[in-house]
Amino acid sequence: MYDFDTAPDRLETSSTKWSRYPADVLPMWIADTDFAVAPAIVSALRRRLDHPILGYAVAKGALRDQIVADLDRRFRWQISPDDIVFLPGVEPGFNMALKARLTPGEKVLIQTPMYRPILDAPGHWGLEPLQVPLVRGEQGYGLDRDALAAKLTEARAFLLCNPHNPTGYVYTRDDLAFIAAACEAADTLIVSDEIHCDLVFDGRPHVPIASLAPEIAKRTITLMSASKTYNIPGLKTGFAIITDRDLRNAFNTARGGMVDSVNLMGLEGTLAAYRDAGPWREALLDYLQENRDHLGRELQRLIPGIRYHPPEASFLAWLDCSALELKQTPHAFFLREAKLGLYAGEVFGAGYEAFVRLNFGCTRSTLTNAVERMAVALSRRIGS
Ligand SMILES: Cc1ncc(COP(=O)(O)O)c(C=O)c1O
């Protein structure tokens, strides 16, 4: 019903992803997808343009009600419409959260490797990041609970990313209960970036950490957006859910002078996404899951030296290239030799120089082409 095998040409569309590299490089780095937006969203945006005024915007009650209903239906999490604070993105949201509650010198726990703007956020507010790596086993990623519990006693905030970028790890209810209990014991603020939560594979549940119990919600700022799933990140709209009134007031105070009203078209697009594009999301999820598995098969067939744990969510693959024994980073190697623009592992933290992140939110044939380019480059290498 929806055609994810055909991708519109994105050159000359002001796309960040497609502007960074020369035209002969296939870009697979920043986290947006190459799929045309759901027809329901395009129609809603067109309809809005029939009215010729694009003034400052506030969210309609219908959007708040839609989010409340979706959270209840999908995650059995009950919130009220006033708990939602609209934002020009999730990144401003986690920065505002830190600014709202912490004072310079305090520590923020982060699980590495990590999406760069989260790694950088503490530094913007004079805070110190405390990094605890995720552990990797044969089956994939997981928590080092002892290290986490020990570090949490020092941290004033836990900046959680669930589903996790870049590994695609989806925290289990048990993981989250452990984290929540440790944060309760240490009286730590939880800032939970759940931007990838609508793209969880294999029928696995996503559990918002704040949904575990009202007392956990009280210490949590949850951040969500339709942007990743529905491919509308250029509309710059996200939202925080903060059930505790004092915490919400502090968060709103932190926006002062920097984060004002939200993008009008982003609000329209978000409502259309959640209200009208559910079947599109489900079709996309199937396509991405098949892409994920296709990538696994192609890597196994052509480049078995790359270690790959299939992600449990979203469209990002975290590839360990250390066994390839390249003389430069895999990012530099594949850029030069395969004309492939991957995301460099070192961006996600020190010690990840031998990794790259590959965005498989593209057509299957593009994905096949990418792995073939990598395999050909490896087969040609002399001294790289
Ligand atoms: C985990 C995570 N959080 C936040 C963002 C950015 O969100 P926004 O564009 O809404 O600021 C991204 C984008 O890749 C992301 O992966």
Side-chain angles (χ1 to χ4, degrees):
M1 184 168 159
Y2 302 105
D3 179 12
F4 298 110
D5 282 321
T6 310
D9 183 354
R10 298 184 69 188
L11 288 172
E12 309 302 329
T13 63
S14 301
S15 155
T16 305
K17 186 182 189 178
W18 287 81
S19 303
R20 177 165 188 165
Y21 295 112
D24 60 343
V25 172
L26 180 58
M28 304 187 97
W29 60 290
I30 201 170
D32 68 24
T33 70
D34 290 333
F35 305 120
V37 167
I41 299 177
V42 176
S43 305
L45 297 179
R46 285 215 173 97
R47 263 197 315 277
R48 180 59 187 81
L49 288 176
D50 288 342
H51 191 287
I53 298 177
L54 304 176
Y56 291 120
V58 292
K60 291 177 186 158
L63 176 54
R64 290 180 183 274
D65 293 346
Q66 183 71 41
I67 292 170
V68 170
D70 285 352
L71 292 176
D72 188 14
R73 180 176 52 81
R74 303 209 33 232
F75 309 128
R76 298 214 202 98
W77 182 22
Q78 288 88 34
I79 64 159
S80 68
D82 292 341
D83 297 341
I84 305 168
V85 181
F86 288 92
L87 299 167
V90 161
E91 185 181 349
F94 51 72
N95 277 286
M96 277 168 59
L98 296 181
K99 181 174 181 242
R101 271 293 194 242
L102 277 69
T103 48
E106 291 183 321
K107 296 178 182 164
V108 181
L109 194 138
I110 291 171
Q111 295 215 273
T112 53
M114 180 52 81
Y115 168 65
R116 186 76 207 193
I118 290 185
L119 272 186
D120 287 342
H124 298 319
W125 309 105
L127 305 167
E128 193 185 316
L130 277 178
Q131 302 191 9
V132 179
L134 284 174
V135 286
R136 183 171 55 169
E138 278 312 305
Q139 302 306 317
Y141 289 88
L143 305 188
D144 179 344
R145 294 192 175 195
D146 292 342
L148 207 59
K151 291 277 189 194
L152 259 176
T153 58
E154 295 173 51
R156 276 281 286 136
F158 186 171
L159 233 173
L160 176 68
C161 180
N162 177 33
H164 182 262
N165 175 0
T167 65
Y169 180 63
V170 174
Y171 288 67
T172 63
R173 182 175 286 276
D174 198 47
D175 291 335
L176 295 168
F178 175 83
I179 291 169
C183 288
E184 279 271 275
D187 193 19
T188 305
L189 172 73
I190 302 171
V191 182
S192 188
D193 177 339
E194 303 186 13
I195 195 169
H196 295 278
C197 74
D198 293 317
L199 289 175
V200 178
F201 300 134
D202 306 310
R204 209 176 247 107
H206 168 76
V207 180
I209 192 166
S211 72
L212 291 179
E215 62 276 16
I216 303 305
K218 224 171 139 41
R219 63 174 60 254
T220 302
I221 295 173
T222 304
L223 298 161
M224 293 183 174
S225 170
S227 63
K228 296 286 146 191
T229 303
Y230 297 94
N231 205 22
I232 51 173
L235 295 181
K236 299 306 297 177
T237 302
F239 53 94
I241 300 160
I242 311 171
T243 58
D244 181 72
R245 187 175 333 136
D246 289 345
L247 186 54
R248 197 165 57 244
N249 286 342
F251 182 81
N252 274 323
T253 302
R255 64 194 300 152
M258 287 188 303
V259 177
D260 59 7
S261 66
V262 177
N263 185 310
L264 166 74
M265 298 306 268
L267 293 171
E268 290 292 332
T270 302
L271 176 58
Y274 290 150
R275 188 188 54 201
D276 305 324
W280 184 93
R281 179 186 73 89
E282 282 170 25
L284 173 73
L285 194 57
D286 288 346
Y287 193 87
L288 288 177
Q289 188 170 309
E290 186 45 39
N291 265 8
R292 173 197 68 171
D293 296 342
H294 179 68
L295 175 62
R297 287 190 297 269
E298 288 296 279
L299 287 175
Q300 190 56 39
R301 188 169 72 83
L302 296 171
I303 324 176
I306 291 184
R307 196 163 164 203
Y308 165 65
H309 291 290
E312 296 169 345
S314 209
F315 44 83
L316 307 170
W318 184 234
L319 307 180
D320 179 354
C321 301
S322 46
L324 301 179
E325 296 186 342
L326 300 169
K327 296 204 170 55
Q328 54 192 314
T329 64
H331 171 256
F333 174 80
F334 289 121
L335 181 57
R336 207 183 62 198
E337 303 297 330
K339 301 284 180 210
L340 208 55
L342 303 168
Y343 226 135
E346 55 270 30
V347 170
F348 297 82
Y352 299 103
E353 293 74 12
F355 287 75
V356 278
R357 195 191 75 180
L358 180 152
N359 176 344
F360 59 84
C362 58
T363 67
R364 198 145 309 136
S365 66
T366 299
L367 185 57
T368 305
N369 178 272
V371 183
E372 282 169 357
R373 286 183 188 215
M374 293 166 82
V376 169
L378 287 167
S379 71
R380 273 199 319 246
R381 85 180 134 161
I382 309 161
S384 33

